[in-house]
Amino acid sequence: MAATLPNKAQAVIVGGGVIGCSIAYHLAKIGWSDVVLLERQKLTSGTTWHAAGLIGQLRDNQDMTKLAKYTVELYAGLEAETGQSTGFRQNGSLSIATSEGRLEDLKRRADMAKVFGLRVDVLSPNACKDIYPMITIDDVLGGIFLPSDGTANPIDITMALARGARGGGVQIFEDTKVTAINHSDGRITGVDTDAGTIEASFVVLAAGMWSRDIAATVGVTVPLHACEHFYVVTEPFDGVAPDLPVFRDYDSQAYYKEDAGKLLIGAFETVAKPWGMDGIPEDFCFDQLPDDFDHFQPVLEGALRRMPALENVGIQTFFNGPESFTPDNRYHLGEAPGLAGMFVAAGLNSIGIQSAGGVGKVLAEWMRDGLPPMDLWTVDIRRNMPFQADPAYLRERVTESLGRLYAVHWPFHQPRTARGIRKSPFYDRMAKQGACFGEAQGWERPGWFAPEGVKPEYVYSFKRQNWFNHSAAEHRAVRDAVGMFDQTSFSKFELFGEDAEAVLNRVSANDVAVEPGRIVYTQWLNARGGIEADLTVTRLDPNRYLIVSGVASQVRDFHWLKRHIPDDADATLTDITEDLAVLGVMGPQSRAVLGDVSDANFSNAAFPYQTSRKIDIAGAPVRASRITYVGELGWELYIPVDGAGAVFEALLAAGNNHGLALAGTHAMNSLRIEKAYRHWGHDIGDQDSALEAGLGFAVAWDKPGGFIGLEALSEQRQTGVKRRLVQFALEDPEPLLYGNEPIWRDGEIAGSITTAMYGHTLGRGIGLGYVADVAGGGNVDGDFIATGSYEIEVAQNRFPAKASLKPLYDPKSERVKA
């Protein structure tokens, strides 16, 4: 260990658990030797030391599975590389299903693993027992086995990573507490410690359950909260062999791991116990929490049923230790918005050991390159909203999120806890109309509307859920007459000043130098040509623009634009998301409905597509923008919050004469999928170019001054693309697509579905997904797509599908522009 704290370093890592040590190791691997890791107590002393050490790879989406897969590959060679024992063994893992929903969940995840070559075997009940003879299978419907999964000793893994980091020049200091993170003018400058100050251009916060409070001192939101995590270790007994795989009985919330002839039995119970509400003790180090046998007893009772041999086995150890969990069960990774050089890797939701290798690798590359090396949006720290750091909110939510680790990954699942944080002015009115609400970034949004006599609640299934037919009726109303959506959750910004046009045109791929009252659909690209944002820009006045984006990317988009405003530019960006309510009035009868409530001329000649202007409805000033996300004639109405209720009532009353139906997010999704409209964060993201995504029509190639990403995009335009986003329609009207399903082209996997929904107009499952030339890696053009034969795999079954680069619904957008 280095004896003297340096005055300067390129990067400082705060936290000496497995995550911090992996980041240090990977920074050394990319050649960053001037790195310091600081640990307030001893390495592994927070959470890492008591982790169960399960190394599982199959996560709930492809990108997280890829990171876990890399972790296994790293650990397999780490001991040979560093000379430090790791305890890593690849005994495989077995997961069983005791319900139809669980079995389909496992099969669909096994489908997903095929896309990148992770072997997952789908097993019969008897085959499950062959692999794990001690279990009873009278209620087992099947299972999956991953032969490359395994276990490791968390302390040894961490020490091996630390040794590898030191070998690359990283200095590690234990018993050194960071007392402040220093910054100036929106950029990190270093840290203060109880042993001195270190100047640094990068600081990485990997402090586990301490991260939320440390981040708050510099205005960074890192929502996480500790929960008590329980496991027991039995006495040794016959049948527990060293080669026994990890066993997961998800429906009983339990996992089993061989431990020197004993069994470690742990749980992710449905209702968890938050911990640390009064703060974490200053001297917390290798500590454990008080036992709570009553809380753990249901898990033990389930274990006795699953494994009768346990009836005569004693418990050697009862352990309870804290681990941090996040509101959405996804960890926090990346550069903090608004504070350059501040990186975060925290909130691992009890999967830190199996994620550490991948986390360290991608974060090191992100720090080096300034952009993430793969699609990491699901864990990107920029998804977080400030309200999520509230301890009361977190305490309530993590009682549920811990248990979600072992819950079925139901499509359209909605959290039960910590609801009602953000409501539009239409919430109460829509609730009276039968709205069943879902949650997004704290917003309560109608997912669907229950007719009279139907209870507005979700009943989950992989088949047609209880709201399927009701949402279908909303979908058809929009196609045939008119629907009204609450779109208040849109992210909304204003940019104003003499240089607003110049700033926005530099960031936008399309040309926003238009006349006031015009709407421009555009992407914001990074230097690699990847899509950082997908949004509309409306010019309100010569020096003022309205920018509208999706609900999930509010923080991300705001700070992307803000960081690209030059210091000497006369351009001010403000977030007005909460100031305006939004109603979408969409469908062939939308013009008639609006004509009944306003004196404005809504004719095609007077109010053409992509036009925005001020109108009055029910005494309220409204900005009406003729734009759509559902593929029909329609307007988005931006309304001051205090006048929103009156506007809603006026539209609802007028709509009675034109077949108006209130519609929810599920109908909007099925409508936009039929029209092949992209969704940022799923269909398009920072790893996808505008050309790959079929959005070249929104690129102003020759506008003066160019735009960020033009050089990379122009090169791709010359050489051709290696993958294309394609719309698919299943030939069989029965199967449902939800995303991540493999796309087979001519008998080979060529990609996967990004988003999907049942298309009620087209009468079958519709999905979007990227297709690549896996054989030759050549240019993927229209001929390549047209000459292939396609199937989509759903729960181990392949279904023929039609592929199209043009929207299958209204390909010429005649209805939109009617």
Side-chain angles (χ1 to χ4, degrees), residues 123-124 323 464 713 764 795 804:
L123 305 178
S124 68
E323 296 188 11
R464 286 156 172 74
L713 210 60
R764 59 203 64 248
S804 178

Side-chain angles (χ1 to χ4, degrees), residues 600-617:
N601 186 346
F602 294 96
S603 69
N604 201 39
F607 210 139
Y609 183 57
Q610 292 188 314
T611 299
S612 178
R613 61 187 52 158
K614 294 178 181 179
I615 65 172
D616 291 314
I617 300 177

Side-chain angles (χ1 to χ4, degrees), residues 50-62:
H50 64 72
L54 309 184
I55 313 297
Q57 299 165 86
L58 197 56
R59 311 309 307 156
D60 60 356
N61 68 64
Q62 292 188 30

Side-chain angles (χ1 to χ4, degrees), residues 426-445:
F426 314 119
Y427 176 86
D428 291 334
R429 289 174 170 85
M430 290 194 163
K432 290 178 181 178
Q433 296 288 333
C436 183
F437 292 94
E439 186 252 11
Q441 304 302 105
W443 285 104
E444 295 293 330
R445 307 189 305 174

Side-chain angles (χ1 to χ4, degrees), residues 209-226:
M209 56 189 171
W210 289 270
S211 297
R212 183 190 75 211
D213 291 342
I214 297 173
T217 65
V218 290
V220 174
T221 301
V222 182
L224 54 82
H225 198 294

